[in-house]
Amino acid sequence: MRKSIHSVVYETMAQVKVRGEPTVSLLAELRYRTADPYAVCLSLGVPLATPIDWFFARSLLTEGLHLSVGTGDVLVIPRRRGHPACVRIVLRARAQEAAVDIEMSAVSAFLLRTLTLVPEGKEGAHVDLDRTVADLLEEAE
């Protein structure tokens, strides 16, 4: 019997820059779950006791391989001038901002694995609407 795969976890190194601070190398995880097929998670500081998790649209990361996209809290910018080429993910919260650089090859490999699980445009087939409504009603109580 073949075991079904429902998630992708991809570990890589990230270069994190916060204004006024030196650049820091941190272990990062890119995560994807078929239960939440439209989103990806960037987790910084793994395996610390309290890593920092950012959730945003998988499509934002996909488009960000080729052009600058996003507004508000998350921007994704391709950077091909450096060696190796990287994807810059700008994370904003309140008055703080962090620039996270991850090698483009790592982001591409991660996205390829997610698209193998859930092809682009097929995300809706993986959404459990009954569970989503139940969770919303539970939160409202």
Side-chain angles (χ1 to χ4, degrees):
M1 183 172 174
R2 191 171 163 191
K3 189 175 180 179
S4 225
I5 298 172
H6 299 285
S7 65
V8 174
V9 177
Y10 194 97
E11 286 187 357
T12 188
M13 290 305 293
Q15 303 303 310
V16 181
K17 175 70 175 156
V18 175
R19 188 173 299 142
E21 300 291 330
T23 300
V24 177
S25 293
L26 288 177
L27 186 59
E29 280 185 355
L30 291 165
R31 295 193 301 256
Y32 179 80
R33 298 178 320 117
T34 58
D36 192 2
Y38 292 101
V40 294
C41 175
L42 169 61
S43 187
L44 296 169
V46 175
L48 299 176
T50 54
I52 300 167
D53 292 340
W54 282 81
F55 293 87
F56 51 95
R58 175 174 73 166
S59 61
L60 189 68
L61 192 56
T62 302
E63 292 173 30
L65 287 173
H66 308 288
L67 57 120
S68 297
V69 293
T71 58
D73 293 344
V74 180
L75 306 172
V76 182
I77 305 159
R79 297 178 53 121
R80 290 178 168 50
R81 291 187 182 187
H83 181 72
C86 69
V87 174
R88 173 163 285 178
I89 303 169
V90 179
L91 306 170
R92 297 177 177 154
R94 298 179 212 112
Q96 296 289 334
E97 180 176 294
V100 180
D101 290 339
I102 301 174
E103 285 188 24
M104 195 170 286
S105 61
V107 174
S108 294
F110 166 73
L111 287 170
L112 183 60
R113 290 180 187 175
T114 72
L115 293 167
T116 300
L117 284 181
V118 179
E120 190 173 7
K122 302 293 184 188
E123 294 91 350
H126 293 269
V127 175
D128 183 349
L129 290 177
D130 293 334
R131 181 78 226 149
T132 301
V133 170
D135 288 347
L136 290 170
L137 291 174
E138 188 176 291
E139 288 176 14
E141 292 179 353

